[in-house]
Amino acid sequence: MINFSNVEKNFRRNAVLQDINLKIERGQRVALVGSNGAGKTTLIRCLLGEYNCKGKVTIDDMDPREHRQQVLLKVGFVPQLPPPLRMPVGRLIQFASSLCDSDPENMHEVADMLGFDARHFRHQPFVKLSGGQKQKLLIAIALGRDCELLVMDEPAANLDPEARHILFKLLAEKQESAAMLISSHRLDEVASLVNRVVEMDLGKIVLDDEVADLVDMSSQLSCSVRMIKPEPAFAKALSEWGFSQQTDDVSWNGIIAGPDRLRFLGMMSRYAALLAGIEMHESETLQTDTHGKGADIEDEINHVA
């Protein structure tokens, strides 16, 4: 599917990519991690044919610069920084769907699932949308079409917890048919989404390892949190995750997307001194897929801290 062979990229005298050798096959979900400046975005731009580079980059044996149109038909891309487009939302969806020969209604449907009514904002210039709205629309354009490769640079950075869960469910539907390259500077943001981790540092690959593929990306966790005493900062953090406070003022209940468990526990660790207990159950009695079909699922994994 993807092959980087002895790839190097310099900007003036600075070596940004150095001797990159990497292969990614369909069905692999790869976390591309590393600090800012490690070379992740440059690697992605070489993959998409935006940069010339030394060495060889291919997608299904095609050079992304020489066969740009054919390659981009295979790729759904969510950039880290939304482009400063002044094109209205409605026209942007029509334009994107025409480029990849897709039905624009599919993109509208995905946007609706993520909580963004693209029809309501059809006359609004893309650049005037909020950060979260831009992210939802870009994800809808990438996932509302058939593609064999998903390239996502910090895809969930501006999403609320509910939208993140929808994103994970949409990715779960494509995990067998597409390769995924998910870039992030923090492994805990993407660890539960992937089955392989590639870490970069100073333009080099310093780690390439397979990881346990145990988390159902469409799963949910029922979570209860008990505090030692009420604390406004902790309460605000939980409310931002959609948790509801109980009548005793120290107990909170909520739902967490399965792939978000590590991210949630990372947030909780900042308030460890205030915790009286956490209880999580991976249990979902009614899961509805993106085509509206219902499936009964009942599975329980108990974790108590």
Side-chain angles (χ1 to χ4, degrees):
M1 181 67 187
I2 298 172
N3 186 33
F4 291 89
S5 180
N6 302 316
V7 171
E8 297 182 0
K9 177 63 180 176
N10 295 331
F11 289 112
R12 297 186 179 180
R13 296 182 180 180
N14 296 322
V16 182
L17 297 179
Q18 303 179 57
D19 195 28
I20 300 296
N21 290 281
L22 181 66
K23 291 184 179 180
I24 301 173
E25 303 294 342
R26 283 178 179 79
Q28 290 190 319
R29 305 189 305 279
V30 180
L32 182 64
V33 299
S35 60
N36 291 331
K40 305 186 301 299
T41 299
T42 301
L43 186 73
I44 287 173
R45 289 182 174 176
C46 290
L47 176 64
L48 298 177
E50 295 179 14
Y51 286 162
N52 278 314
C53 59
K54 294 181 180 179
K56 189 174 183 180
V57 180
T58 58
I59 298 177
D60 281 346
D61 297 322
M62 292 186 292
D63 186 299
R65 289 188 67 84
E66 294 178 6
H67 304 90
R68 190 161 178 78
Q69 184 174 1
Q70 297 97 311
V71 165
L72 292 183
L73 283 173
K74 297 174 177 285
V75 180
F77 175 51
V78 181
Q80 179 183 10
L81 299 176
L85 299 174
R86 297 191 175 278
M87 188 181 296
V89 167
R91 192 183 303 172
L92 177 57
I93 290 177
Q94 289 292 336
F95 176 71
S97 60
S98 67
L99 287 180
C100 57
D101 194 25
S102 298
D103 186 349
E105 286 304 309
N106 292 337
M107 297 179 182
H108 280 288
E109 182 181 349
V110 175
D112 288 340
M113 292 175 192
L114 292 168
F116 177 64
D117 185 350
R119 293 179 182 84
H120 178 75
F121 290 92
R122 63 187 180 278
H123 299 303
Q124 180 89 334
F126 176 81
V127 74
K128 297 291 187 181
L129 299 177
S130 70
Q133 290 171 335
K134 290 175 183 176
Q135 193 78 346
K136 290 175 181 179
L137 180 56
L138 292 172
I139 291 170
I141 289 172
L143 298 185
R145 46 162 296 193
D146 292 329
C147 59
E148 300 172 41
L149 171 62
L150 280 170
V151 180
M152 296 168 284
D153 200 346
E154 304 280 3
N158 293 310
L159 298 184
D160 55 85
E162 179 59 27
R164 287 173 67 93
H165 183 228
I166 298 300
L167 170 62
F168 300 149
K169 292 174 71 173
L170 291 166
L171 294 179
E173 291 188 350
K174 295 181 178 290
Q175 62 184 340
E176 300 299 330
S177 61
M180 299 183 194
L181 183 61
I182 306 173
S183 176
S184 179
H185 68 285
R186 291 179 54 184
L187 181 57
D188 64 336
E189 291 281 339
V190 295
S192 298
L193 296 176
V194 301
N195 51 24
R196 183 178 171 190
V197 174
V198 173
E199 183 178 357
M200 295 186 68
D201 185 39
L202 298 177
K204 297 180 180 180
I205 293 176
V206 295
L207 174 71
D208 184 354
D209 199 10
E210 294 184 356
V211 296
D213 191 9
L214 300 176
V215 177
D216 179 358
M217 287 197 289
S218 63
S219 66
Q220 288 184 316
L221 293 147
S222 298
C223 182
S224 299
V225 177
R226 296 186 308 280
M227 303 160 58
I228 295 173
K229 64 178 182 178
E231 170 57 47
F234 194 10
K236 181 181 179 183
L238 287 171
S239 64
E240 288 174 352
W241 279 80
F243 276 57
S244 57
Q245 189 173 23
Q246 306 305 295
T247 55
D248 61 5
D249 292 334
V250 294
S251 299
W252 293 74
N253 293 333
I255 300 293
I256 305 165
D260 255 346
R261 68 185 74 194
L262 184 57
R263 181 171 174 263
F264 177 76
L265 290 173
M267 182 277 292
M268 294 291 289
S269 68
R270 300 198 300 266
Y271 303 98
L274 293 169
L275 284 176
I278 307 175
E279 194 169 315
M280 290 184 180
H281 300 272
E282 187 168 338
S283 175
E284 191 171 332
T285 55
L286 179 63
Q287 176 179 309
T288 304
D289 66 22
T290 57
H291 302 290
K293 298 176 183 177
D296 288 331
I297 297 175
E298 199 155 2
D299 184 25
E300 231 174 70
I301 299 174
N302 198 356
H303 170 75
V304 178

